[in-house]
């Protein structure tokens, strides 16, 4: 993978900015509505799985289309080899990069999931993954299924935003900083931050069912996609190996509590996750050998009510 531009002079991984940041919102060039927008995602990717979970939790499957990319990227990036004829049924493209170049012929960064395509203008609207779940939770509210959870309730928005920022720096992106670091000290800084964050989360989830109390929110979705990958991938591949998720009783039970809900379970594919990281990230795993374990019982009773 092409990380060259994202490794700073001191060996630190600094993630590229999101290139497409238009918003789907009422009274804008991209108003929300059924059938117009199409999501491109990978089951392997934690940033993309957030949108997959939220789309299912809110019952938006018939409102926003979906194409899932092959978990294994080649040197031209994400491929549509899971779709009939190896082509995206919506655009006819073979590679996700074709959508990026159709939107901006000068685009030179990595071609990332998740992203949203507008079938009317035939352009990418956004690959701004932190905003994407919020958009599904707010702009698409008129199309949420009856009885679906309010993942971004007005009274908690400030707390959710603050928690999400803290999760990003402390764990969601910190595992990547540890894994992609080319400098011992920067790696140690990142890995220490990961485990300080997990220790604090363990304390919080010992007394709270979810991050913000009794109600499942957007923050839980963001934490879950990192926890699901922790023992199978980040522990070994990204060298986040001080402790395992399963060494934290409250966090491990919390992760199972979420996993056992259909929207989380249906979008968690451990095989695709492991094959993606271990085969595609040859900068970290040149042999491309995929580990067999770990054997984890995600279906064990969580005991959290
Ligand atoms: N959009 C963000 C985050 C999303 C992201 O990194 N997605 C990964 C998969 S987890 C991706 O699509 N990577 C493509 C690549 O590295 O070529 C970014 O630009 O870093």
């Amino acid at each position: 993978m092409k990380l060259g531009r994202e490794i700073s002079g001191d060996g630190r991984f600094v993630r590229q900015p999101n290139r497409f940041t238009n918003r789907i919102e009422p009274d804008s060039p991209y108003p929300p509505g059924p059938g117009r927008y199409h999501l491109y995602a990978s089951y392997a990717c934690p940033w993309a799985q957030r949108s997959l979970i939220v789309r299912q939790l809110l019952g938006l499957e018939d409102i926003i289309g979906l194409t899932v990319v092959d978990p294994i990227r080649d040197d031209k990036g994400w491929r549509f080899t899971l779709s009939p004829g190896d082509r995206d049924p919506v655009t006819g493209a073979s590679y996700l990069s074709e959508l990026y170049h159709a939107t901006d012929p000068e685009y030179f960064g990595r071609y990332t999931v998740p992203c949203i395509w507008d079938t009317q203008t035939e352009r990418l609207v956004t690959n701004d993954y932190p905003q994407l779940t919020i958009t599904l939770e707010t702009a698409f509210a008129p199309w949420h299924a009856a009885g679906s959870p309010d993942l971004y309730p007005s009274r908690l928005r400030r707390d959710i935003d603050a928690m999400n920022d803290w999760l990003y720096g402390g764990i969601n992106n910190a595992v990547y900083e540890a894994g992609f670091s080319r400098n011992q000290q920067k790696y140690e800084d990142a890995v220490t931050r990961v485990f300080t964050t997990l220790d604090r989360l363990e304390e919080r989830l010992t007394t709270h069912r979810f991050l913000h109390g009794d109600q499942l929110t957007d923050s839980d979705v963001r934490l879950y996609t990192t926890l699901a990958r922790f023992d199978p991938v980040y522990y070994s591949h990204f060298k986040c190996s001080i402790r395992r998720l399963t060494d934290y009783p409250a966090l491990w039970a919390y992760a199972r509590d979420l996993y056992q809900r259909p929207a989380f379970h249906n979008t968690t594919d451990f095989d695709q996750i492991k094959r993606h990281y271990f085969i595609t990230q040859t900068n970290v795993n040149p042999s491309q050998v995929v580990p067999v374990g770990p054997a984890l019982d995600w279906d064990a009773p969580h005991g959290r009510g």
Side-chain angles (χ1 to χ4, degrees):
M1 56 185 304
K2 298 180 293 175
L3 278 184
R5 278 185 296 267
E6 290 160 275
I7 300 294
S8 68
D10 59 5
R12 215 158 40 97
F13 171 60
V14 183
R15 188 174 290 280
Q16 67 179 9
N18 297 306
R19 167 66 183 80
F20 302 108
T21 54
N22 286 306
R23 294 237 178 135
I24 300 171
E25 54 194 1
D27 306 316
S28 81
Y30 299 104
R36 174 165 174 174
Y37 300 101
H38 198 78
L39 172 66
Y40 291 87
S42 161
Y43 287 120
C45 170
W47 319 105
Q49 194 193 354
R50 295 172 174 186
S51 292
L52 294 171
I53 292 171
V54 169
R55 177 174 168 270
Q56 278 204 18
L57 270 175
L58 301 178
L60 292 172
E61 294 100 317
D62 294 334
I63 306 296
I64 299 170
L66 170 67
T67 300
V68 174
V69 295
D70 192 308
I72 312 300
R73 289 195 306 257
D74 69 14
D75 54 356
K76 289 195 267 177
W78 295 111
R79 306 172 295 169
F80 294 118
T81 31
L82 300 184
S83 300
D86 296 347
R87 286 183 182 272
D88 168 32
V90 172
T91 62
S94 304
Y95 283 90
L96 185 67
S97 58
E98 294 167 46
L99 279 57
Y100 275 75
H101 288 299
T103 311
D104 175 3
E106 310 288 311
Y107 183 79
F108 61 83
R110 291 184 291 111
Y111 311 108
T112 60
V113 287
C115 54
I116 294 258
W117 177 256
D118 176 16
T119 58
Q120 261 181 36
T121 59
E122 302 191 326
R123 294 170 65 84
L124 284 176
V125 183
T126 176
N127 68 342
D128 187 5
Y129 62 94
Q131 180 56 38
L132 242 168
T133 56
I134 305 288
T135 296
L136 301 188
E137 290 154 10
T138 54
F140 283 88
W143 296 276
H144 289 177
S148 56
D150 183 356
L151 297 171
Y152 197 52
S154 310
R155 70 183 171 87
L156 288 176
R157 283 186 187 179
R158 216 189 292 190
D159 293 346
I160 292 173
D161 293 347
M163 171 65 74
N164 289 354
D165 286 347
W166 181 71
L167 290 173
Y168 180 82
I171 183 153
N172 299 143
N173 195 54
V175 294
Y176 282 86
E177 286 182 55
F180 290 156
S181 177
R182 297 194 187 157
N183 171 287
Q184 181 68 32
Q185 190 55 49
K186 299 294 172 197
Y187 154 73
E188 289 185 21
D189 293 349
V191 98
T192 304
R193 200 167 354 114
V194 166
F195 284 92
T196 308
T197 305
L198 286 174
D199 292 347
R200 287 186 54 191
L201 286 166
E202 174 70 10
E203 270 177 48
R204 188 176 183 99
L205 291 164
T206 301
T207 52
H208 292 59
R209 173 117 190 233
F210 302 110
L211 286 170
H212 296 286
D214 296 337
Q215 187 173 356
L216 179 75
T217 68
D218 186 79
S219 301
D220 298 296
V221 174
R222 294 182 189 217
L223 176 56
Y224 171 81
T225 65
T226 296
L227 296 183
R229 287 157 181 75
F230 204 86
D231 287 5
V233 176
Y234 301 150
Y235 182 89
S236 52
H237 185 66
F238 281 173
K239 306 185 188 78
C240 291
S241 47
I242 298 176
R243 283 179 286 284
R244 299 164 303 177
L245 170 64
T246 50
D247 295 324
Y248 288 96
L251 261 174
W252 172 219
Y254 161 86
R256 296 200 309 282
D257 182 0
L258 296 178
Y259 173 81
Q260 291 170 22
R261 296 157 195 264
F264 290 81
H265 176 263
N266 296 341
T267 60
T268 302
D269 184 325
F270 292 114
D271 177 61
Q272 291 203 22
I273 289 171
K274 287 202 298 183
R275 287 193 296 119
H276 166 68
Y277 282 91
F278 287 99
I279 296 178
T280 301
Q281 294 179 352
T282 49
N283 51 331
V284 182
N285 187 41
S287 73
Q288 298 182 299
V289 170
V290 184
V292 175
L296 300 174
D297 187 1
W298 281 88
D299 292 313
H302 56 76
R304 288 177 67 85

